Amino acid sequence: MADTGVNKQQSRSEAVGRAKVAVAGGGRARVYLETYGCQMNIADSQLVNAVLRRAGYGSVDKPEEADVILINTCAIREHAEERVIGRLSDLARLKHSRPEVKLGLLGCMAQHNRASLIAKAPWLDLVAGPDTYRRLPELIGRSGYDPAVDVRLSREETYAGLSPDYEAGVRAYVTIMRGCDKFCAFCVVPYVRGRERSVPAENIVREVEALAARGFKEIVLLGQTVNAYRAGDVDFAALLRNVAAVEGIERIRFTSPHPSDMSTPAIEVMASEPKIQPYLHLPVQSGSDRLLAAMERGYTVRGYLDLVGRLRSAIPGLALSTDIIVGFHGETKNDFQATLDLMRTVRYDSAFSFKYSVREHTRAYRLGDSVSEEEKGRRLSELIAMQEKISLERNRELIGQTFPVLVEGPARRGEGRMMGKTPQFKTVTFPGHDNIATGTTINARIDAATGHSLSGVTV
Ligand code: SAM
Ligand code: SF4
């Protein structure tokens, strides 16, 4: 799920979380798990935690205290991979002083270029792709002189029936489908995560009921092309209705939908089902038809704008965010101007923007890079500056309005303030100590705004 805010191209490749599993009793092997990349990777790490906890492993917060160190990786851009290689070198020093420690690499990078990876990091004990997590205890047990490697992709594995170790809070991210069949020319996801497959609807509903019973208020349905969901007779629109019927869940979101799969029935459910929140992260990638065709995105600018129009007229107050790539092969100054024009037209609430990174195995790989790094940087800065201005304007338009805010806890900054999200997924801070319970919904009147957040008072 995208946050509000604009310059997120770096934060997406930061290490985003650590393992949080039940504390082990004495003598059990201890695991440290570090996660890089998108929300799907965070959700996968929660699955890994569950698999290892059930196998008797405990968790620790520091690699120095671990018997097994695992890194769940992202391969979407070269920068993300370089960061992980750097981190692996740090951890190798640790392994040097304690050779019995096992060091493993999981996820998309494990799948992508595993041979060169093992050459670059020969100290790895374990390399496991995203479809092999049920086998992790066995792989950890097996690794010896040569690394234990399992990067087989599966056409069936959805981890249905395996409940992840969710992080405590008001919101739980529930994976409903895995893989991707779209093969956009720039993207490595179909190669590292495999073919599209959906979790059976009854498993999803059971999981959401269990989450409601544990006090979660908001569910975010996850998938690389989440709205391509289909399991038997149940399509995405039907699934939304089924999940919305679960008592106790107050808010439902999903990410990331693909524009080509945004069906009329799905829009109708969003418009008619009050639990489905008026916020959509709708990646566009480029505002130039020539580039969209080269990227093999499967829609035109006109088609995309038409979709935005239909969504906005069906769902009042809808907030929109997007993903943009600058400097894809062949992007001219005119193509880039067309992207800026589209952004001015749509006026997104926020945007995640990325410099194009050539990825091995993709359809665009052989084309190479035609835009220099400097020019990509310049285009990225221009785009971010424009989006920041638009985000600020849009947020200022909300001053004086009142929104229901689902309270998440103390604000990170600002003594004596709490924070929560509006239906549009905008962060609001407001005065309050711990007197307002997490998980309650308050009404906040907005009295100030930045491009990234709102502040208000309870009314
Ligand atoms: N499935 C989603 C969709 O198609 O809209 C996007 C999932 S992808 C993990 C997240 C974003 O990473 C993409 O929307 C795209 O903007 C960006 N991305 C993917 N491949 C990239 C590449 N080779 N270089 C730069 N950014 C890339
Ligand atoms: Fe990648 Fe395109 Fe699939 Fe999104 S839809 S994951 S960008 S191939």
Side-chain angles (χ1 to χ4, degrees):
M1 169 66 60
D3 295 326
T4 51
V6 282
N7 185 5
K8 296 294 194 309
Q9 77 278 8
Q10 275 169 357
S11 65
R12 281 213 170 175
S13 57
E14 300 290 310
V16 286
R18 253 173 280 129
K20 286 273 180 278
V21 295
V23 180
R28 286 191 197 171
R30 296 153 302 174
V31 178
Y32 169 83
L33 171 56
E34 198 168 279
T35 308
Y36 290 77
C38 64
Q39 194 62 53
M40 294 275 318
N41 266 12
I42 300 174
D44 276 3
S45 284
Q46 295 175 351
L47 271 177
V48 168
N49 285 334
V51 169
L52 294 179
R53 182 175 48 76
R54 285 167 197 200
Y57 287 87
S59 91
V60 284
D61 282 343
K62 293 193 187 117
E64 294 77 16
E65 294 167 1
D67 304 301
V68 180
I69 300 175
L70 300 174
I71 309 281
N72 190 4
T73 60
C74 169
I76 200 88
R77 283 168 289 275
E78 199 179 353
H79 174 70
E81 286 198 350
E82 282 164 359
R83 276 180 53 90
V84 168
I85 297 284
R87 182 66 176 138
L88 275 178
S89 311
D90 295 345
L91 295 169
R93 276 195 283 280
L94 210 151
K95 187 174 163 61
H96 190 69
S97 58
R98 284 173 57 218
E100 70 282 8
V101 170
K102 293 199 172 173
L103 184 52
L105 191 132
L106 315 180
C108 298
M109 253 179 92
Q111 203 71 43
H112 194 230
N113 299 338
R114 53 198 167 271
S116 68
L117 187 74
I118 292 172
K120 276 185 203 157
W123 54 84
L124 277 172
D125 297 292
L126 163 77
V127 177
D131 288 345
T132 65
Y133 297 148
R134 289 187 199 263
R135 290 191 60 222
L136 269 180
E138 182 195 332
L139 291 170
I140 294 171
R142 215 181 61 194
S143 53
Y145 184 72
D146 286 325
V149 179
D150 190 348
V151 291
R152 280 171 295 181
L153 287 172
S154 160
R155 282 180 181 264
E156 285 91 37
E157 181 61 277
T158 60
Y159 297 106
L162 177 61
S163 187
D165 282 359
Y166 296 99
E167 205 172 301
V170 300
R171 179 179 308 112
Y173 291 83
V174 176
T175 302
I176 64 162
M177 54 87 68
R178 300 181 70 84
C180 178
D181 284 352
K182 294 280 191 288
F183 289 91
C184 301
F186 53 80
C187 184
V188 81
V189 166
Y191 306 92
V192 295
R193 286 191 163 268
R195 296 287 64 71
E196 199 175 283
R197 59 222 116 103
S198 297
V199 181
E202 55 276 19
N203 289 80
I204 297 169
V205 171
R206 225 177 291 137
E207 188 73 8
V208 173
E209 284 169 350
L211 288 165
R214 286 168 54 188
F216 285 92
K217 301 289 181 216
E218 181 169 308
I219 298 294
V220 185
L221 304 176
L222 277 186
Q224 292 293 349
T225 49
V226 71
N227 52 343
Y229 177 90
R230 175 169 280 279
D233 296 339
V234 185
D235 65 4
F236 185 62
L239 180 75
L240 283 177
R241 282 202 201 284
N242 292 347
V243 173
V246 175
E247 265 180 52
I249 295 301
E250 295 171 11
R251 293 181 168 196
I252 296 161
R253 308 180 187 278
F254 54 89
T255 197
S256 286
H258 190 282
S260 307
D261 291 319
M262 204 63 231
S263 68
T264 303
I267 298 175
E268 280 166 8
V269 185
M270 282 190 81
S272 60
E273 174 48 63
K275 288 187 187 177
I276 302 178
Q277 300 299 292
Y279 165 60
L280 211 54
H281 180 68
L282 196 63
V284 67
Q285 315 298 358
S286 170
S288 152
D289 276 339
R290 216 176 58 81
L291 264 276
L292 286 176
M295 289 174 165
E296 302 183 54
R297 283 291 289 176
Y299 52 83
T300 59
V301 171
R302 195 165 171 180
Y304 183 92
L305 289 177
D306 177 64
L307 174 61
V308 167
R310 287 191 294 132
L311 284 160
R312 282 192 165 144
S313 58
I315 307 156
L318 179 73
L320 280 177
S321 60
T322 198
D323 287 344
I324 307 265
I325 296 177
V326 297
F328 182 66
H329 176 85
E331 186 186 75
T332 62
K333 291 202 161 132
N334 283 346
D335 293 317
F336 176 62
Q337 284 307 320
T339 298
L340 294 178
D341 288 346
L342 176 126
M343 293 179 79
R344 275 187 215 103
T345 305
V346 176
R347 289 174 53 75
Y348 293 102
D349 291 83
S350 62
F352 294 84
S353 39
F354 310 100
K355 286 198 253 178
Y356 174 51
S357 171
V358 177
R359 304 277 62 207
E360 205 173 341
H361 307 309
T362 61
R363 290 183 179 170
Y365 176 65
R366 64 183 171 77
L367 301 173
D369 245 347
S370 69
V371 181
S372 69
E373 274 305 298
E374 297 70 45
E375 181 59 15
K376 283 183 197 169
R378 208 195 53 71
R379 290 181 192 179
L380 188 70
S381 307
E382 189 175 342
L383 193 144
I384 289 170
M386 193 183 81
Q387 181 56 47
E388 284 196 334
K389 188 166 164 284
I390 295 172
S391 297
L392 180 62
E393 285 167 9
R394 288 198 72 94
N395 282 351
R396 281 193 177 147
E397 284 161 16
L398 307 177
I399 293 175
Q401 295 185 34
T402 297
F403 293 94
V405 172
L406 178 60
V407 178
E408 294 189 17
R412 248 182 274 155
R413 270 173 290 180
E415 189 60 17
R417 291 185 79 78
M418 299 196 71
M419 64 78 63
K421 296 275 188 195
T422 66
Q424 287 79 4
F425 210 61
K426 295 195 186 244
T427 302
V428 182
T429 68
F430 50 91
H433 296 276
D434 286 339
N435 55 344
I436 307 173
T438 297
T440 52
T441 296
I442 53 113
N443 283 319
R445 194 179 60 239
I446 308 307
D447 56 16
T450 70
H452 301 272
S453 67
L454 307 169
S455 69
V457 288
T458 49
V459 290

